[in-house]
Amino acid sequence: MGKSSKDKRDAYYRLAKEQGWRARSAFKLLQLDEEFNLFANVSRVVDLCAAPGSWSQVLSRVLIKNEQFGLKSWQDGEAHLRRSMLSVLPASTTPGGTSAVEAAIAAQHAASRPRDDVKIVAIDLQPISPLAGIITLQADITHPATVPLLLAALDPGRDAQRAAEGKASHPVDLVLSDGAPDVTGLHDLDIYVQSQLLFAALNLALCVLKPGGKFVAKIFRGRNVDVLYAQLKIFFEKVVVAKPRSSRASSMEAFIVCVNFRPPTGFHASLEEPLGVGERLDKMVKERELQLPVVARAAMQNPQTGAWDCTPASVMRVNALDSSSITELEVYDETKDGDGSGNYNNSSNNNNQGSDRSARWIAPFVACGDLSAFDSDASYLLPEDHVSLDPVQPPIAPPYKRAVELRATQSKAVR
């Protein structure tokens, strides 16, 4: 009864079991890939906080087995339909004597063969059931000792000098993190703990990510999340917040998608001095801030006094690819500038550009997934012949396992 009820209330929970996914979160990664094409030109991936392994399962089926899902599956179907229509027409031959249709089919078969150049490493505190082509590590991503383990898994014969520096001999193309803390219901506390987990994932990613790489991580949206966006913008050219359709609208979770890794000049990743600790990150924010030109200001100038009367919200700094579209918006708390009055005059605005201000950045927000897909917050009627399935992969060592054993022991003692 409970399983049938959940199948009705959560369509993605039901689909995950029917399609062989370990968890419904697999659809989140697939919908993110539909929007951002995350797996393009990717062969080396690190999956953090991977248990029970649904994201690693997606990586295995897409990158190693060359299976197609979502938008790519539809495009493949359209291509197959076009080839079927072409087969009705007189066959055009290639210089080698084979038809164009046969050549296209042969190329498709070659592309669908399993790849052996893919390296995927999954890390989690909990044990992960084995997956084809996936290297699994049981480790803590917040502990410095995890970096040598990860580097050894990525490059068994890595260069000794780069290993001593804590860097990968062959950096990875993509780092994923779907980790989240055990929520308490106190939103401010949950958001803070999640941000620290994201910093731990980012610190690990900076040690193994190659220039131009991608970073995707779960976040909890809160009051000051724009500060986190500004900090991530230091390292990546493009930062977007995405909400997959399979993620419940009632949940404050979202996913930060960071594209084109470009570390600041002279930056060296090290867990001896991780980000989010000390003043190094704030200093890097200010250095990156000074490199951005001021294009517009959200303030009105008093024609009599010549002073800038700023709105209570902020002074804005914008970067535009052209004059017709604004692509980025940076916001600064003007109450922390100068004397804290919140009013700028011509001289103070020009001379205090690098003063102590809290850098904030409003990242673009994107909803991922086809509108015709299931709504994760809706309930659907089940067909009459529906049979509720068991989960594909139950947890190997769940945190509540000890509690279940104790309860079973107590029940036997009472009897």
Side-chain angles (χ1 to χ4, degrees):
M1 186 66 180
K3 291 182 181 179
S4 299
S5 177
K6 192 169 184 180
D7 285 342
K8 177 181 178 181
R9 289 182 288 107
D10 191 340
Y12 289 100
Y13 170 77
R14 181 179 74 251
L15 287 176
K17 295 187 294 182
E18 293 176 354
Q19 297 181 12
W21 300 112
R22 294 189 171 189
R24 67 187 302 279
S25 56
F27 295 103
K28 301 176 184 178
L29 182 58
L30 291 173
Q31 291 170 356
L32 289 172
D33 176 53
E34 289 181 20
E35 182 68 29
F36 300 99
N37 198 17
L38 296 176
F39 304 142
N41 303 319
V42 169
S43 60
R44 296 172 64 83
V45 187
V46 174
D47 184 13
L48 305 176
C49 306
S54 59
W55 279 26
S56 297
Q57 189 180 14
V58 172
L59 295 172
S60 175
R61 295 178 63 175
V62 173
L63 297 181
I64 299 178
K65 300 180 181 179
N66 278 316
E67 297 184 25
Q68 303 290 336
F69 300 97
L71 178 61
K72 293 182 180 179
S73 177
W74 178 84
Q75 292 173 342
D76 186 66
E78 289 292 303
H80 180 72
L81 178 61
R82 288 194 296 269
R83 287 194 297 271
S84 300
M85 296 176 65
L86 287 173
S87 64
V88 180
L89 303 176
S92 59
T93 58
T94 61
T98 59
S99 66
V101 176
E102 292 176 353
I105 294 175
Q108 181 186 12
H109 288 170
S112 62
R113 293 171 185 162
R115 297 171 56 187
D116 55 1
D117 61 336
V118 175
K119 175 81 72 169
I120 302 173
V121 180
I123 305 177
D124 199 282
L125 273 174
Q126 301 295 327
I128 305 173
S129 180
L131 280 166
I134 307 295
I135 301 173
T136 59
L137 299 177
Q138 188 173 358
D140 184 359
I141 67 170
T142 64
H143 199 283
T146 303
V147 175
L149 294 176
L150 176 58
L151 296 178
L154 287 172
D155 303 304
R158 65 191 187 281
D159 181 73
Q161 181 178 357
R162 295 188 65 84
E165 295 174 356
K167 296 182 179 179
S169 301
H170 301 87
V172 302
D173 307 299
L174 173 64
V175 176
L176 305 174
S177 176
D178 190 30
D182 295 331
V183 295
T184 63
L186 303 174
H187 293 314
D188 290 342
L189 177 60
D190 294 336
I191 291 171
Y192 172 76
V193 177
Q194 173 65 20
S195 67
Q196 297 306 304
L197 185 62
L198 187 146
F199 271 124
L202 179 62
N203 285 321
L204 205 61
L206 295 178
C207 296
V208 298
L209 200 59
K210 75 174 186 180
K214 308 168 189 175
F215 176 67
V216 180
K218 179 185 290 187
I219 62 168
F220 289 164
R221 293 172 296 161
R223 180 175 53 188
N224 296 319
V225 73
D226 47 355
V227 177
L228 178 61
Y229 300 156
Q231 293 167 344
L232 289 170
K233 196 67 171 62
I234 299 173
F235 301 98
F236 297 91
E237 180 181 357
K238 182 179 180 181
V239 177
V240 180
V241 183
K243 181 75 170 178
R245 189 166 176 80
S246 53
S247 176
R248 298 182 182 89
S250 57
S251 172
M252 61 181 175
E253 79 165 6
F255 294 88
I256 192 80
V257 180
C258 307
V259 181
N260 193 6
F261 176 54
R262 50 177 183 87
T265 304
F267 172 77
H268 298 285
S270 173
L271 289 189
E272 299 297 331
E273 190 181 358
L275 299 178
V277 178
E279 300 179 354
R280 186 165 71 131
L281 186 57
D282 294 337
K283 181 180 179 181
M284 294 171 63
V285 170
K286 294 176 182 178
E287 290 177 353
R288 181 70 78 180
E289 165 194 336
L290 295 177
Q291 300 174 4
L292 303 176
V294 175
V295 180
R297 180 183 289 116
M300 298 296 293
Q301 188 176 21
N302 191 321
Q304 298 179 351
T305 63
W308 288 96
D309 183 16
C310 298
T311 62
S314 59
V315 172
M316 294 185 297
R317 170 177 294 191
V318 241
N319 298 330
L321 293 177
D322 52 50
S323 58
S324 61
S325 64
I326 296 178
T327 58
E328 299 176 6
L329 178 61
E330 295 201 7
V331 186
Y332 298 91
D333 186 359
E334 74 284 349
T335 60
K336 295 186 179 181
D337 192 288
D339 59 358
S341 62
N343 294 324
Y344 288 79
N345 54 40
N346 292 332
S347 59
S348 64
N349 183 56
N350 294 331
N351 297 332
N352 294 330
Q353 206 59 259
S355 58
D356 184 17
R357 293 177 289 177
S358 297
R360 297 172 180 266
W361 184 68
I362 302 176
F365 186 88
V366 177
C368 303
D370 192 350
L371 292 178
S372 62
F374 287 100
D375 184 357
S376 56
D377 287 297
S379 296
Y380 295 90
L381 293 177
L382 299 175
E384 295 181 358
D385 57 346
H386 172 73
V387 177
S388 181
L389 304 175
D390 292 327
V392 175
Q393 178 59 57
I396 299 177
Y400 52 83
K401 182 177 180 180
R402 180 59 178 165
V404 173
E405 293 175 350
L406 290 175
R407 183 176 299 177
T409 302
Q410 292 174 357
S411 63
K412 291 181 180 178
V414 171
R415 292 178 185 176

